[in-house]
Amino acid sequence: MLAMSQSPPSEVLQEIFHYFDDDSYDLHSCVLVNRIWSANAVQLLWNKPFHLLLNKKFNSSHHLISTYLSCLDPEDIYNLDLNLIPQQNFISLKKFITPTFNYPSFLRHFAYLSMIVSVQEWCVINNLYVGDGSPIMQKIILALFRLFAKHSSGLKSFSFVMDMDIEINHGLSYYDDKLQHKILILRDQIIRQWLSQIKDFEFAGDFASDKDFPVLMQICRHLIKMEIRLPDFGYNDDDEHYDSSAELTARFIESQTELEHFILRDCHYPQALGTALISQQNTLRYIQFCDIVFDKWCPLDWLPKCFNLEILEFCDSESLSPKVLSPLKLAPLTKLRSITFKEDPVPIDTLESLILASKSNLEEIIFGWPEDCKQDGYAHILNSISLNCPNLVRLGAMIGPNEIGELFGILKSCRRLKYLHIYGNGRPFDVSGILPELGKIIPRTLIELNISARWRFMPDSLKQFLKNCSLLVEEQHEVFKENEVSLKNFVICICDFINDEHLRVLVKHSMKSLKFFSLWNKKFTVSEAGIDKASQWLRKSVV
């Protein structure tokens, strides 16, 4: 009984709690278990508190401010200025409960606008909000920034999102424009020094109009990661906001000394950014374009100059034409480890050029669209992968009825493959005769098989597939014991054909390694209890 009552070591608890890093409700429950759990969970619960607003979980934002104000020194509370605060409210400020933990010391990820909005709500609830540009708000915001600068020595990331889509609460229109021009908190030296350690910076929306942003550009010169979303194109008639933001962003990029990770998302691509990114050609390792509108007059001619680039990703782009991509075809990158084109259609010529340039360096290739893609004809690309990428670890690919031979070729050649994600073209495909053969050649290293295509198969076919995965393997006339694959998760995204017989086969004939199977993003354990839950869920959820 004593052993049962003891908590695991703090290192183990921290490792476990990291799985709930984005779930404040579960972490809060962990805090309530006992003192040891509380001391470990509270660190994660408070490492990015202002991101609650970004996730639209803002009902408790004023409680965050109350907790942080309780951490102020008495002198700092007094300096909030008695003359500006009604007497009854100032008395309540002085009666803050002594905090259980040093909450500011846990802060690692800071959201700028969310913090200001939280203070604004706190002032309204406490009858302290006195209109636009409230001096009380300014004092509280400055006091909290200084509190963070004093105690949070391990700040990692800074989010400067200036167009949060937040509903109006308490009759208040969140974050008025007049206030932002009066705070100018980044003029304070202790705050500047605190922010200078940031390595990960996200900025989005109409950030160019904020007076603090140019100051941030001066402070943050050693970023490792930069994530950007420019304002909507045509924000006003003369595109002033878009153009000025693009110009400031270009200057910000050029000021960096060690930028490795660059993300541009949900906006138009301005050529000025390409010109600026050339200044980072020696350090850039990761570039991602997500939901970007490319202009045909703005080719990516700077990309091949980033000769140390290891990861290149395009996802859901518009106007990603051959002209835009032509520099990658004419002068392809040679050190890529990962290529992603989640596009429909996929730029086949460019993808093949990149594969042939990087060859055995490549460990990850993802192309097509996980949801039904209209395009066919990827046999040539799949064949190129099997011939040139022996070290592939992850593959996500469009594989239709005419590409099964090429898929088998990849499985025979890429013997280090751990993750295989099969996309489809939207048409049903009966693989009952193919699945058992697939089980014979799956690499022993494979951990997850994810079928997003509309593949269908009979229970007997699944049974033979699982048996073949477990067969003894004969290699060079020697028989090795238990040479079965290490498959742990079997995913079937489109599962309207699955019935109870399929589920019984999974339990009865699974190889030893299989622990989970997933149907339509619902994960179940490979056990009698898991099968029972899966059966009930299928009857209720799948039409």
Side-chain angles (χ1 to χ4, degrees), residues 327-397:
L328 285 174
K329 184 178 178 182
L330 298 174
L333 300 156
T334 60
K335 296 184 179 180
L336 289 178
R337 293 187 297 105
S338 175
I339 305 171
T340 296
F341 280 101
K342 282 189 177 179
E343 305 287 347
D344 184 14
V346 175
I348 294 177
D349 290 347
T350 302
L351 177 56
E352 183 180 21
S353 297
L354 294 172
I355 290 172
L356 293 177
S358 295
K359 292 187 176 180
S360 60
N361 288 333
L362 284 166
E363 298 175 359
E364 179 178 55
I365 300 175
I366 297 173
F367 68 90
W369 196 247
E371 299 170 6
D372 297 338
C373 185
K374 303 179 183 67
Q375 188 182 11
D376 285 317
Y378 292 107
H380 185 66
I381 288 293
L382 294 169
N383 187 56
S384 185
I385 292 172
S386 65
L387 293 175
N388 296 287
C389 307
N391 297 319
L392 203 65
V393 173
R394 184 185 297 268
L395 174 65

Side-chain angles (χ1 to χ4, degrees), residues 395 399 407 411 417-422 446 448-450:
L395 174 65
I399 299 173
L407 171 61
L411 295 178
L417 198 64
K418 292 184 178 180
Y419 305 93
L420 175 60
H421 197 155
I422 298 173
L446 197 71
E448 179 173 299
L449 175 60
N450 188 317

Side-chain angles (χ1 to χ4, degrees), residues 170-184:
H170 305 295
L172 173 69
S173 179
Y174 279 124
Y175 190 61
D176 55 76
D177 291 335
K178 295 180 181 179
L179 177 63
Q180 64 173 320
H181 297 293
K182 296 182 180 181
I183 298 177
L184 301 178

Side-chain angles (χ1 to χ4, degrees), residues 12 50 85 259:
V12 174
F50 295 111
I85 302 177
L259 188 64

Side-chain angles (χ1 to χ4, degrees), residues 263-264 286-290 309 311-315 317 338-343 364 366:
I263 299 174
L264 185 67
Y286 179 114
I287 293 177
Q288 180 191 92
F289 298 100
C290 183
L309 197 66
I311 301 173
L312 178 61
E313 298 182 1
F314 292 87
C315 183
S317 308
S338 175
I339 305 171
T340 296
F341 280 101
K342 282 189 177 179
E343 305 287 347
E364 179 178 55
I366 297 173

